[in-house]
Amino acid sequence: MSGPELPVLAPEERVLSTLESDGTRRWLSPRLSTGRFWRRRRVVAYALIAIYALLPFIKVGGRPALQLDLWNAKFSVFGLVITPTELELAALLGLVIVLAVFFATAIFGRVWCGWACPQTVYMEYVFRPIERLFTGTTGKGGKPRQSVAPWRSVAMYAVMTLVCWHLANTFLAYFVGAEALHQWIWTAPPWEHPGAFALVFGVTALMMFDFCYWREQLCIIGCPYGRFQSVLLDRSSLVVGYDSGRGEPRGRGRERNGKGDCVDCGMCVDVCPTGIDIRDGLQMECVNCTQCIDACDAVMDKVGRPRGLIRYSSQEGLDGKPTKIVRPRVLAYGGVICAVSVLLISMVVGRSSFDVTVMRGLGRAYFVADSGDVQNLVQVKVTNRLDEPQAFKVEGVFPAGMQIIGDTEINLEPLADATEPLQLVVNPSAFGDKTIVKAVIRVSNESGESSEYTYTLYGPIPGEQAEADDGGDG
């Protein structure tokens, strides 16, 4: 038998803007306000979409403007090719981008979320317009006045699937290149490249889940950036805010009679893509999309009141206090960005056209030949960082008389690398009364650029009878 049911108190308000008071999903169908900020955001959004779609096809120095070739571990960023031996460049570049977001957030608030985030850009300017087209709410948004015919729903999801499939293929082009993608799509069946096909299928499915079901919940629940606001923003950061001093007390009608400018029309709530009421103050769910500004400005025009009841401002500004642009966190972010950027630029400008790694060879640390010479096995890996072939030469610098046995002439194709096993042979007198000696190896190319590398040679213990090697190459 089940026990007696315990009384459960109903919540006074929603825990999340996308949940009803009983815990069920609250589906949002925001109305559309096509004001000045919406038009500006549309220009930015379509420009970003065009950049995303065209960037894999743009060539800089004969290579894609941006390609993350994970298979060959080479990154191409606007003509700069980053090889695995230069991952510090990628790390510094990523650090500059992250710090730039922090810097922009400290000054402009959630400008990334409202103006440039792919979730906002594609949701508000691609998928919601498609949804409004098929549900008959184009140009105004909101819920359709009558039920949508099944064929319209099927057609809507079919179009969304095609859009997601295109976006997924473009995403793949950033990793394999536009030429390879074109060949795979038009000349090769999917089973010849199952990994790429699985990636496109998976990304398409994830996008459909996101834009058709998850939607604004990604911003509210899934994205950590909103929770970072508490540490990235301060009271002088730019936010979308409601001027409660001007708007309260609320009241309907044109005649104010001591009431505030807010006519309590609820338009700011109806147009919000995350379903919040901006009049409740700064909230984590607010993505600074400015739809509430456009809607409120339109209402203020109708009732003959000045615009700006909801506006871009800061918490200090909304309280009637001066907003400080120059403040400690802005200076700190700016200073670190400048320092890291200078370091990155200096490393790029001063980077060598090749990279060399000297490693100890497999087998014994050393062996003594019949002639009495001491031999050490070494592996020299040379990486060509240029988009043209290079020829390299390996030679010994110190100790005097050191010989290098093996292929010391290395020819490499553009951005290729090779590892050559070599033997360093020195006279035992080079060790003196020690068992190690620091050898110096020089690697140079045809243009005269050279680098020297130190390598530790091991030898026999002084006074000990050296054993001749009879095991080949050890």
Side-chain angles (χ1 to χ4, degrees):
M1 294 180 61
S2 60
E5 293 186 2
L6 298 177
V8 178
L9 295 177
E12 297 180 0
E13 57 184 14
R14 296 187 183 96
V15 178
L16 291 175
S17 59
T18 54
L19 289 180
E20 300 291 357
S21 58
D22 60 357
T24 58
R25 171 76 179 272
R26 180 192 176 208
W27 290 90
L28 301 179
S29 298
R31 296 182 63 178
L32 181 64
S33 181
T34 56
R36 54 194 173 112
F37 284 109
W38 180 84
R39 292 191 293 270
R40 294 169 186 173
R41 288 173 58 231
R42 180 176 59 178
V43 172
V44 173
Y46 289 151
L48 292 174
I49 292 173
I51 292 173
Y52 172 77
L54 298 176
L55 205 54
F57 302 91
I58 298 175
K59 300 288 186 178
V60 177
R63 301 184 62 83
L66 181 61
Q67 183 177 355
L68 309 177
D69 189 353
L70 299 180
W71 283 264
N72 298 309
K74 293 182 178 66
F75 299 160
S76 188
V77 183
F78 296 101
L80 173 65
V81 179
I82 301 176
T83 63
T85 60
E86 300 175 292
L87 291 182
E88 66 276 6
L89 295 180
L92 290 175
L93 179 60
L95 182 58
V96 169
I97 294 174
V98 171
L99 290 173
V101 172
F102 288 2
F103 180 77
T105 303
I107 298 178
F108 303 108
R110 295 184 69 171
V111 63
W112 164 260
C113 294
W115 292 76
C117 176
Q119 176 72 14
T120 301
V121 167
Y122 284 99
M123 189 74 236
E124 301 303 324
Y125 291 96
V126 176
F127 288 92
R128 286 203 198 277
I130 293 174
E131 183 179 56
R132 290 166 182 151
L133 173 65
F134 285 96
T135 58
T137 59
T138 298
K140 57 181 181 292
K143 295 181 180 180
R145 295 183 177 180
Q146 55 187 4
S147 59
V148 180
W151 72 267
R152 284 180 171 269
S153 297
V154 172
M156 178 182 70
Y157 288 117
V159 171
M160 288 182 175
T161 301
L162 288 176
V163 173
C164 291
W165 178 82
H166 169 72
L167 294 176
N169 275 279
T170 305
F171 178 73
L172 179 62
Y174 280 91
F175 297 92
V176 302
E179 293 82 1
L181 177 65
H182 184 272
Q183 180 182 5
W184 290 352
I185 292 177
W186 299 109
T187 63
W191 53 83
E192 290 189 5
H193 44 87
F197 177 77
L199 177 64
V200 170
F201 180 83
V203 172
T204 301
L206 288 174
M207 286 186 176
M208 286 295 293
F209 172 78
D210 177 28
F211 292 115
C212 296
Y213 178 79
W214 195 234
R215 299 162 73 94
E216 65 281 338
Q217 291 192 119
L218 177 65
C219 303
I220 298 173
I221 302 173
C223 180
Y225 183 60
R227 289 159 177 78
F228 289 162
Q229 285 187 101
S230 59
V231 294
L232 296 180
L233 298 180
D234 57 28
R235 293 188 60 83
S236 291
S237 300
L238 194 67
V239 297
V240 172
Y242 166 70
D243 190 345
S244 59
R246 172 186 158 186
E248 302 296 327
R250 307 171 193 173
R252 296 181 178 273
R254 290 179 177 269
E255 297 297 330
R256 305 317 300 152
N257 297 326
K259 298 178 182 179
D261 284 353
C262 178
V263 298
D264 204 17
C265 62
M267 283 297 297
C268 57
V269 180
D270 293 341
V271 301
C272 181
T274 58
I276 66 170
D277 189 340
I278 193 64
R279 295 171 296 180
D280 293 337
L282 183 63
Q283 299 162 68
M284 180 195 71
E285 295 87 352
C286 178
V287 295
N288 283 21
C289 69
T290 68
Q291 275 287 276
C292 55
I293 298 179
D294 286 335
C296 188
D297 284 350
V299 173
M300 291 296 103
D301 291 343
K302 291 180 180 179
V303 299
R305 304 300 297 172
R307 291 183 172 188
L309 178 59
I310 302 176
R311 63 182 183 272
Y312 267 128
S313 185
S314 65
Q315 290 176 282
E316 295 285 18
L318 292 171
D319 290 341
K321 301 176 182 178
T323 298
K324 298 179 180 179
I325 301 298
V326 179
R327 50 194 193 274
R329 73 173 59 210
V330 173
L331 294 176
Y333 290 148
V336 175
I337 290 174
C338 291
V340 177
S341 299
V342 169
L343 177 61
L344 176 61
I345 294 173
S346 63
M347 292 179 65
V348 171
V349 172
R351 69 197 293 254
S352 172
S353 65
F354 63 92
D355 181 76
V356 177
T357 303
V358 181
M359 303 168 288
R360 189 163 299 281
L362 301 177
R364 293 160 56 182
Y366 73 93
F367 59 94
V368 180
D370 293 340
S371 62
D373 291 334
V374 179
Q375 300 183 6
N376 279 238
L377 300 178
V378 67
Q379 296 186 72
V380 177
K381 180 180 180 180
V382 183
T383 302
N384 181 11
R385 293 175 175 171
L386 298 184
D387 273 330
E388 57 188 41
Q390 287 199 86
F392 301 92
K393 181 179 181 181
V394 183
E395 55 188 336
V397 177
F398 181 84
M402 180 175 66
Q403 300 180 14
I404 300 180
I405 300 177
D407 190 359
T408 58
E409 302 286 341
I410 303 174
N411 297 306
L412 293 179
E413 295 299 317
L415 301 175
D417 60 68
T419 301
E420 290 294 336
L422 303 173
Q423 295 183 28
L424 306 184
V425 182
V426 298
N427 189 279
S429 61
F431 291 90
D433 58 352
K434 301 179 180 179
T435 59
I436 62 173
V437 64
K438 296 292 184 179
V440 178
I441 301 171
R442 179 187 295 126
V443 179
S444 56
N445 59 13
E446 295 173 315
S447 62
E449 185 180 0
S450 64
S451 295
E452 295 183 352
Y453 304 88
T454 302
Y455 182 80
T456 302
L457 297 179
Y458 290 94
I461 299 175
E464 182 179 288
Q465 178 67 35
E467 297 182 358
D469 179 81
D470 56 2
D473 59 4

